[in-house]
Amino acid sequence: MAAEPPAFVRLAAHPLRWSLLSALAGGDLRVRELVEHVGQPQNLVSYHLRLLRRGGLVTATRSSFDGRDSYYHLDLDRCADALAETGAALHPALRPETPPLPRRVAVLFVCTGNSARSPIAEALLRRRTAGEVTVTSAGSHPKAALHPGAVRVLGEEFGIDVAGQRPRHLDTVAGHRFDHVITLCDKVREICPEFPHHPRRRHWSIPDPAGSREPGSFAGAAAEIDTRVRHLLPVLSVPQDKEARP
């Protein structure tokens, strides 16, 4: 009797589910955006999203900009584990390759206040690339100073000192050339301006830890951002004209 294919193969092999996974690999998206991408009815897309969520490959969070919306997110760590398990089920020699180092590129992280999420992302990408990537962050309505929680979590969890950094306005980077522009706030995604040279745009829907009463909200946000930054590294090494777009 033939062995049953691994769960990842059964989930991802369906053409529509693969299209959804491919779209979400480029960033967090809403249902209507996924519907437009795959060209299928919303009820069918929602059905397959439920299967992907049940399989642990996709998660959903309520939009902090419009509570009637949800953003769907591809859990790349879970996908990596599932792919490794799939390869091992076929042959132990099939192991993932080491991600290539990023080439020199310019990345801009954007949130509303530039006091927590985007400066955390800026600091973590700079740390993981040892300065090989030009990293900037900015906000549409910058605060007067970085949030103490962001300063604390970067110092205590990652050994990064950002105490002397100040939030900057998006206007200060207008006209600059970026290869990637990444929004981390549902609100700022709706108003983020266009930049010259058509940078690659993606969205990370991450709740503002400053607005949470949960203990450890900054540690949780920083851990999620660090995971996303880690998965961003191989993307940065791909020339923009060769990068697959959702």
Side-chain angles (χ1 to χ4, degrees), residues 96-114:
E97 296 181 359
T98 302
L101 293 174
R103 64 187 177 93
R104 181 166 290 281
V105 293
V107 179
L108 172 66
F109 291 106
V110 187
C111 67
T112 300
N114 192 223

Side-chain angles (χ1 to χ4, degrees), residues 206-217:
I206 298 176
D208 185 2
S212 173
R213 297 181 179 178
E214 294 294 323
S217 60

